[in-house]
Amino acid sequence: MHFMTALGAAWQQRNSLLCVGLDPDPAKFPAHLQGRPDAILAFCSAIVDATADLVCCFKPQIAYFAAHRAEDQLEALIEHIHARHPGTPVVLDAKRGDIGSTAEQYAVEAFERYKADAITVNPYMGRDSVDPYLAYPDKGVILLCRTSNPGGSDLQFLDVGGLKLYEHVARLVAQDWNASGNCGLVVGATFPAEIARVRELTGDMPLLVPGIGAQGGDVAATLAAGRTAAGTGLMINSSRAILYAGKGEDFADAARQAAIDTRDAINAHR
Amino acid sequence: MHFMTALGAAWQQRNSLLCVGLDPDPAKFPAHLQGRPDAILAFCSAIVDATADLVCCFKPQIAYFAAHRAEDQLEALIEHIHARHPGTPVVLDAKRGDIGSTAEQYAVEAFERYKADAITVNPYMGRDSVDPYLAYPDKGVILLCRTSNPGGSDLQFLDVGGLKLYEHVARLVAQDWNASGNCGLVVGATFPAEIARVRELTGDMPLLVPGIGAQGGDVAATLAAGRTAAGTGLMINSSRAILYAGKGEDFADAARQAAIDTRDAINAHR
């Protein structure tokens, strides 16, 4: 199924704009999982099983797997999501960016090896560095636009001919790179006015919004700025606030409750 | 040893500005390696052993390993370089870029897991996305500046207050991010005038220059534009033209000859 179709269906059927970010940090795992060779998979699978009916997508962050030599557990995790929770899109948060021949390799990694439904990509190297991902007709390609970190302004807020660089990227993606309708953008929740500006420039393009919860973004302002007329258009990511809501053997129950609370807080403003 | 110290020593002792890029594509391997489970490691190790005395550094491109589930072979390859060819810096070409907490994971991946001496990083997310790499005092951090692909101009050539974006990045890195003296920049060989401009903005900062050989850049123009007063300052990368110089069992000999020819062509213009 096309990523955009699956995402649209998940928004409707699960009545949720929540994306749970899977950033597994073994140092924060409950004691009973510590030291297990498959601790990352066990932890993430439990989170996934406890929250899948509450989310519009999952977003594993590949750095957390790679730092722990856990590529095999990432493969198994995504396979688990597809098998147990069909119709739940998986966005591989990898923020890749390289010349075409190398991007082809990254696209194989994301879409053929890991079987992700979408990938995050860095736009700095331009159109031909993005084409190899766009060449997969059923996959989503979510470009960095305005990021939620303090240094995000260093380049993204530069003035380029009357637009900020992030606005230029939003317009470039909306008017050119999105010819096949499979692009999205990353826009941080810490800047609601800029979410509104990106929404204005991109029509109904899906926006992946990190930065609520641990990073301090405001849910009401994010929704007001970014929701589409249909009350969707957003993948609002929360990672740490859900993954580490509990510290004991009932961590998955605590994560489920945190996900319910976050989903409902989002829906209160749709 | 500090990456910059090792690089400086390699430039002098080996009289070479050549960086051999390790982009292993199994479809292009000689027949006798096809189908071996460790074909990537066997191929790359043979290239490394045949060229180590001719290079100032090696640059494995992680995408080519990740696409083939060959992270273990990348680990073994870098271990092989450090063990057999000590003093030869390894630049992990990964072009990572993410918020600080995630960048910390990528830094662990590059420097602790793979034991690379330097990494390439994308500047789009700004200073705090680069700090976790800079926090490793002995490691090199090589920021994308002006890339050699056609779409490189899409963002990098935008005018930001009288500078092109790539010039702004060069100045930002030289004046701010490089406080500890461990930064470098990626500047493509396809744009010699822009190499000259980056050299002007960055003093003696090491520049990693892809794009000669398969991508068509001119060696004489690259040297004239980018060499420092000492006749160094450049890591001039060649990947495919060296890796696939031969197609038979003597592929490593052919690679050695191609590396000698490239090194000498570079040295003719120093």
Side-chain angles (χ1 to χ4, degrees), chain A residues 23-25 61-72 75 93-106 108-109 113-114 122-129 144-156 158-161 165-166 168-169 172 177 215 240, chain B residues 23-25 61-72 75 93-106 108-109 113-114 122-129 144-156 158-161 165-166 168-169 172 177 215 240:
Chain A
D23 304 5
D25 180 351
Q61 166 51 258
I62 195 169
Y64 283 82
F65 296 83
H68 293 97
R69 311 179 80 233
E71 283 83 6
D72 55 340
E75 289 180 12
D93 196 358
K95 300 186 176 67
R96 300 304 194 226
D98 215 308
I99 61 170
S101 52
T102 302
E104 288 172 12
Q105 302 293 317
Y106 280 130
V108 168
E109 179 193 22
R113 176 183 183 185
Y114 289 117
N122 189 308
Y124 188 74
M125 294 183 65
R127 172 64 188 257
D128 66 303
S129 74
L144 296 183
C145 177
R146 179 71 173 114
T147 62
S148 52
N149 60 312
S153 299
D154 288 351
L155 301 193
Q156 298 156 25
L158 293 171
D159 191 329
V160 291
L165 180 59
Y166 82 89
H168 182 89
V169 169
L172 191 63
W177 300 2
Q215 293 180 60
R240 285 165 275 183
Chain B
D23 304 4
D25 180 351
Q61 166 50 259
I62 195 169
Y64 284 82
F65 296 82
H68 294 97
R69 310 179 80 233
E71 283 84 6
D72 56 339
E75 289 180 12
D93 197 356
K95 300 188 177 68
R96 300 303 192 226
D98 214 307
I99 61 169
S101 52
T102 302
E104 288 173 11
Q105 302 295 315
Y106 280 130
V108 168
E109 178 193 22
R113 176 183 183 184
Y114 290 117
N122 189 307
Y124 188 74
M125 293 183 65
R127 172 64 189 257
D128 66 305
S129 74
L144 296 184
C145 178
R146 179 70 173 115
T147 62
S148 53
N149 59 313
S153 299
D154 288 349
L155 301 193
Q156 299 157 25
L158 292 171
D159 191 331
V160 292
L165 180 60
Y166 82 90
H168 183 90
V169 169
L172 190 64
W177 300 2
Q215 293 180 58
R240 284 165 275 181

Side-chain angles (χ1 to χ4, degrees), chain B residues 46-87:
Chain B
I47 296 285
V48 160
D49 293 343
T51 61
D53 62 315
L54 308 171
V55 306
C56 65
C57 60
F58 286 113
K59 182 178 73 66
Q61 166 50 259
I62 195 169
Y64 284 82
F65 296 82
H68 294 97
R69 310 179 80 233
E71 283 84 6
D72 56 339
Q73 295 184 68
L74 177 56
E75 289 180 12
L77 173 63
I78 297 176
E79 189 179 338
H80 176 90
I81 296 171
H82 291 324
R84 299 288 185 85
H85 310 287

Side-chain angles (χ1 to χ4, degrees), chain B residues 80-246:
Chain B
H80 176 90
I81 296 171
H82 291 324
R84 299 288 185 85
H85 310 287
T88 312
V90 175
V91 178
L92 185 66
D93 197 356
K95 300 188 177 68
R96 300 303 192 226
D98 214 307
I99 61 169
S101 52
T102 302
E104 288 173 11
Q105 302 295 315
Y106 280 130
V108 168
E109 178 193 22
F111 299 144
E112 301 184 32
R113 176 183 183 184
Y114 290 117
K115 300 186 169 52
D117 300 295
I119 184 174
T120 55
V121 175
N122 189 307
Y124 188 74
M125 293 183 65
R127 172 64 189 257
D128 66 305
S129 74
V130 179
D131 280 336
Y133 310 99
L134 297 173
Y136 286 77
D138 288 343
K139 302 297 186 179
V141 182
I142 302 174
L143 282 304
L144 296 184
C145 178
R146 179 70 173 115
T147 62
S148 53
N149 59 313
S153 299
D154 288 349
L155 301 193
Q156 299 157 25
F157 222 60
L158 292 171
D159 191 331
V160 292
L163 294 177
K164 302 293 186 195
L165 180 60
Y166 82 90
E167 295 175 301
H168 183 90
V169 169
R171 200 174 62 174
L172 190 64
V173 173
Q175 297 187 356
D176 180 10
W177 300 2
N178 193 37
S180 298
N182 55 348
C183 291
L185 291 170
V186 176
V187 190
T190 37
F191 308 102
E194 297 160 23
I195 298 176
R197 181 65 181 137
V198 171
R199 175 56 70 212
E200 182 185 356
L201 289 165
T202 62
D204 286 349
M205 184 176 289
L207 306 182
L208 173 61
V209 183
I212 66 162
Q215 293 180 58
D218 179 82
V219 172
T222 295
L223 267 288
R227 66 166 174 253
T228 61
T232 61
L234 299 171
M235 297 166 271
I236 300 180
N237 184 75
S238 182
S239 300
R240 284 165 275 181
I242 290 175
L243 300 187
Y244 309 114

